[in-house]
Amino acid sequence: MKLPAFFIAHGSPLLVLEDNDYTRFLQRLGSDLGKPRGIVIFSAHWDSPEQLITVDAQHETQHDFYGFPEEMYQLNYPAPGDPALSSRISELFKDHNLPHQPVLSRGLDHGAWVILSKMFPQADIPVVALSVDSLRSPEEQYSIGRMLAPLRDEGILLIGSGGLVHNLRLLKQKDQPEQWALDFDGWIAERLEAWDLPSLYAYEKQAPHVREAVPTYGKEHFIPLFYVMGAADEGRQAQLMIQAYQYGTLSLNCWMLD
């Protein structure tokens, strides 16, 4: 069965401890998807000018954050890797002449394991993590995702983990969203549903409040969207599954791309 691709916001690392509408949605989504043969995830927290691929047989858990409750640093998500799947990805990249490198012993960063721990708490599905490159053009990012489209027919779930509105310098002590965040998410939603690639590629010039929503120091959280859109290029259907906010300016959304 061909699996959809997803863009999933990972929010704050505290999401892993929370019980709210968004975390319950992630739990239902994982249950509805069943047990994919494997998961390939582009994480905003692995930004590299080279395309990198984990090749571990077993992942460690990165606690790549600071200032959080001590219990956060005791949490583990011991998902296996899949060297064969890593090799399959390498073959697809080679077929399209994309330079790439294997990486051992990196572990899964919180952009990956926080959402996966909600969706697949048993940590028994193999995971291969891929880096993103915030300096590439949206067209290039989309093209890389399109290289991986065949995996969707092979029982592999493709996820881009990030945040469409993600500016940690503008967080508020409330969950009611700021109007500018709503305006930006609304603009993205209209163009995603129309699969308006020219406008989306030009989001930095066209989207309202783009500097607040996607600050220059935080583009890596937005760009996983383009990678997973590329993986869904054949169907070009986008459906918003949930939209929520934390701290006024932290967008929690999930887009299904098929």
Side-chain angles (χ1 to χ4, degrees):
M1 182 179 67
K2 186 172 188 174
L3 288 171
F6 290 89
F7 176 86
I8 302 176
H10 61 248
S12 161
L14 286 171
L15 198 72
V16 73
L17 299 179
E18 294 173 347
D19 177 24
N20 53 41
D21 288 346
Y22 189 67
T23 60
R24 289 191 288 273
F25 162 77
L26 292 178
Q27 290 165 348
R28 291 193 302 272
L29 178 61
S31 178
D32 291 345
L33 288 169
K35 191 173 182 179
R37 186 173 70 81
I39 298 168
V40 173
I41 186 163
F42 289 95
S43 172
H45 289 278
W46 197 9
D47 192 357
S48 169
E50 265 191 313
Q51 181 61 63
L52 304 176
I53 310 170
T54 60
V55 294
D56 302 87
Q58 181 65 46
H59 291 295
E60 296 184 355
T61 304
Q62 279 195 45
H63 299 95
D64 51 333
F65 42 75
Y66 61 92
F68 287 86
E70 183 59 31
E71 62 182 306
M72 293 285 296
Y73 303 93
Q74 309 306 316
L75 296 174
N76 286 292
Y77 188 75
D82 187 340
L85 177 55
S86 299
S87 294
R88 172 73 173 126
I89 294 168
S90 178
E91 290 171 1
L92 292 170
F93 286 158
K94 287 177 183 176
D95 289 344
H96 293 86
N97 299 312
L98 178 69
H100 57 282
Q101 294 293 331
V103 175
L104 267 172
S105 304
R106 179 181 184 270
L108 296 178
D109 61 57
H110 78 269
W113 67 264
V114 164
I115 59 172
L116 293 181
S117 67
K118 291 296 185 181
M119 295 174 66
F120 306 108
Q122 299 302 316
D124 57 353
I125 300 173
V127 178
V128 174
L130 300 180
S131 64
V132 297
D133 182 0
S134 59
L135 298 181
R136 290 184 189 267
S137 68
E139 293 92 335
E140 290 176 296
Q141 295 155 357
Y142 189 99
S143 176
I144 291 172
R146 190 165 51 194
M147 296 174 194
L148 301 181
L151 297 178
R152 296 178 51 209
D153 290 308
E154 300 169 16
I156 304 302
L157 177 65
L158 273 72
I159 297 175
S161 172
L164 298 187
V165 179
H166 192 96
N167 190 334
L168 301 184
R169 297 178 186 175
L170 296 180
L171 298 183
K172 307 293 183 181
Q173 295 301 315
K174 61 175 185 177
D175 286 344
Q176 184 66 28
E178 296 287 287
Q179 186 60 48
W180 62 260
L182 291 169
D183 290 346
F184 179 83
D185 266 329
W187 187 92
I188 295 295
E190 288 179 8
R191 281 137 190 91
L192 257 178
E193 288 168 349
W195 213 270
D196 181 356
L197 290 178
S199 294
L200 287 167
Y201 287 164
Y203 78 96
E204 290 189 276
K205 294 181 179 179
Q206 296 187 16
H209 311 291
V210 66
R211 286 285 68 86
E212 292 87 358
V214 187
T216 54
Y217 69 85
K219 287 174 61 176
E220 74 285 344
H221 275 77
F222 184 81
I223 62 171
L225 174 66
F226 291 121
Y227 286 90
V228 287
M229 283 186 73
D233 179 73
E234 182 179 354
R236 297 193 170 194
Q237 298 291 317
Q239 179 182 352
L240 181 61
M241 308 291 286
I242 189 170
Q243 179 70 66
Y245 293 86
Q246 288 185 310
Y247 312 113
T249 63
L250 196 60
S251 181
L252 297 178
N253 42 31
C254 173
W255 281 91
M256 182 171 68
L257 309 163
D258 200 3

